[in-house]
Amino acid sequence: MLKPFTLIIKISTLCMVMFFSELTYAQENSHTQEELEITPFVDGTLLQPADAKKNILAIIIGDYGPTDRNGNQNFQKNNNLKKLAYSFANMGISSFRYDKRIVKQIKKGRINARLSFDDYVKDAKDVINYFVNQANYTNIYVVGHGQGSLVGMLAINEHVTGFVSLAGSAKPIDAVILEQIEQTAPGLKTDAERVFNVLRTGKTTANYPQALSNIFSLDTQDFIANWMQYQPTEIISNLNLPILIVNGTKDLQVSMHEAELLHQAATNSNLVSIQNMNHVLFIIEGGDLENSKSYNESFRPLAPKLISALQDFIK
């Protein structure tokens, strides 16, 4: 049987959970959302606050893999991009977030094995141009998370007001993969370097270690070869607009050093380091186990300092 004091605490906690649940529900229902098909490849959600005071739009671009508009994949459901969109709405800022084109292909059961990295860049350009042509927004911001940071850099045109890189890498993808292999399976690094050298020639190869098949399968080699030609620090150095670079100190995929490299390369950027924020934009108080589990924990809120940094930058 519960002691009276313990029962009071449990009831109070339940009331708080119900209060914040109702508050979140009310906030979500105070905004309007519209499902849009930008092209045959791109479906997304336009979220507009009911009390929008400025004609500002944030275009949110997701991370690597079959990432949907909410930031989720099959075995990774944290809703971080959906939370980001609602955070913008609570600031009075509209947002558009969209499924990576591979998500739509999976849903329709028609996957294109010839998908390239440049296809993702084209999709981002199409989204930007769609809203430019609509002429409803005087200020358009591109917000790229992870791989979406590089995609966003490549898609930006003269109509974009500002760019936000969230946990974006400063290194080409082959360098990133080689670093990860060196840390986890150093004996395979020489073979990986050999495969990358083949890909640089525009060819593919079936001669790769089976242990690296998730990286170098014949279905993915063209995509990797296309992706690895881009050097993020070179690209960001050519952007002539305000830039916000945000990274967390507990990001297991992109280090603060990479954020600093992007900041050094950019001509007009602010760098924000968020203590204990991880790659999916959550605060992690514990170790790597908590960090990894959080990728599939949708109850977690976004890091508060991230929200304030975005608000300060855009306003």
Side-chain angles (χ1 to χ4, degrees):
M1 183 175 178
L2 291 174
K3 295 180 180 179
F5 181 70
T6 304
L7 182 60
I8 291 170
I9 292 176
K10 285 185 174 290
I11 292 173
S12 298
T13 301
L14 179 60
C15 290
M16 288 177 65
V17 169
M18 291 175 65
F19 171 76
F20 284 112
S21 296
E22 290 298 319
L23 179 61
T24 300
Y25 178 81
Q27 288 175 334
E28 290 192 5
N29 281 273
S30 69
H31 311 315
T32 60
Q33 63 178 28
E34 182 181 358
E35 307 305 312
L36 298 177
E37 182 181 72
I38 304 299
T39 71
F41 304 106
V42 179
D43 295 335
T45 299
L46 176 65
L47 183 66
Q48 301 181 93
D51 59 346
K53 298 180 179 64
K54 297 182 179 179
N55 294 325
I56 303 174
L57 176 71
I59 295 173
I60 302 170
I61 306 173
D63 201 356
Y64 175 72
T67 304
D68 70 15
R69 69 192 70 183
N70 295 327
N72 301 328
Q73 299 183 17
N74 281 342
F75 302 104
Q76 176 181 310
K77 298 188 184 301
N78 52 60
N79 283 328
N80 63 347
L81 299 188
K82 180 179 180 181
K83 293 171 186 175
L84 188 61
Y86 276 96
S87 295
F88 280 127
N90 292 334
M91 301 176 202
I93 296 169
S94 300
S95 68
F96 180 76
R97 64 192 194 276
Y98 62 94
D99 300 333
K100 303 279 285 292
R101 72 160 64 187
I102 187 66
V103 174
K104 188 170 185 176
Q105 292 177 0
I106 291 171
K107 288 178 179 178
K108 292 184 174 294
R110 296 197 298 268
I111 299 176
N112 180 8
R114 304 297 296 179
L115 183 69
S116 71
F117 183 82
D118 286 339
D119 287 331
Y120 287 142
V121 176
K122 182 182 184 304
D123 290 343
K125 288 180 177 179
D126 288 341
V127 170
I128 293 170
N129 289 331
Y130 174 88
F131 287 104
V132 168
N133 293 333
Q134 293 293 305
N136 292 328
Y137 302 98
T138 54
N139 294 283
I140 294 176
Y141 289 81
V142 172
V143 182
H145 176 235
Q147 184 197 70
S149 170
L150 177 56
V151 171
M153 289 182 209
L154 291 164
I156 283 172
N157 61 28
E158 68 275 14
H159 300 288
V160 175
T161 304
F163 171 62
V164 180
S165 172
L166 301 179
S169 177
K171 301 173 184 176
I173 189 57
D174 54 319
V176 173
I177 292 173
L178 286 173
E179 281 187 4
Q180 292 174 349
I181 291 173
E182 188 171 26
Q183 292 171 5
T184 58
L188 297 174
K189 184 178 178 182
T190 300
D191 283 325
E193 289 174 331
R194 175 180 50 78
V195 176
F196 281 129
N197 287 334
V198 172
L199 297 183
R200 285 190 187 91
T201 69
K203 299 178 181 178
T204 59
T205 177
N207 184 18
Y208 56 84
Q210 189 61 32
L212 298 179
S213 59
N214 61 325
I215 299 172
F216 293 127
S217 71
L218 291 174
D219 289 339
T220 62
Q221 286 185 25
D222 286 338
F223 185 91
I224 294 290
N226 184 197
W227 186 1
M228 61 191 271
Q229 69 179 296
Y230 294 113
Q231 169 54 266
T233 53
E234 291 180 6
I235 296 160
I236 202 170
S237 69
N238 292 315
L239 297 182
N240 186 26
L241 77 174
I243 297 170
L244 174 66
I245 299 167
V246 183
N247 217 83
T249 63
K250 286 199 173 180
D251 191 323
L252 298 176
Q253 296 171 240
V254 180
S255 68
M256 274 306 308
H257 177 62
E258 291 198 55
E260 290 162 0
L261 290 175
L262 287 177
H263 178 52
Q264 291 165 11
T267 57
N268 183 18
S269 68
N270 292 327
L271 174 62
V272 175
S273 170
I274 300 182
Q275 189 69 24
N276 293 332
M277 188 178 80
N278 72 353
H279 189 72
V280 291
L281 314 178
F282 299 153
I283 295 297
I284 302 299
E285 300 295 348
D288 289 353
L289 179 59
E290 179 193 347
N291 200 332
S292 299
K293 285 176 63 179
S294 72
Y295 282 56
N296 199 36
E297 294 178 336
S298 60
F299 63 84
R300 290 179 178 267
L302 298 182
K305 189 176 177 181
L306 167 64
I307 307 306
S308 60
L310 291 170
Q311 187 166 18
D312 291 344
F313 177 69
I314 291 179
K315 291 193 173 181

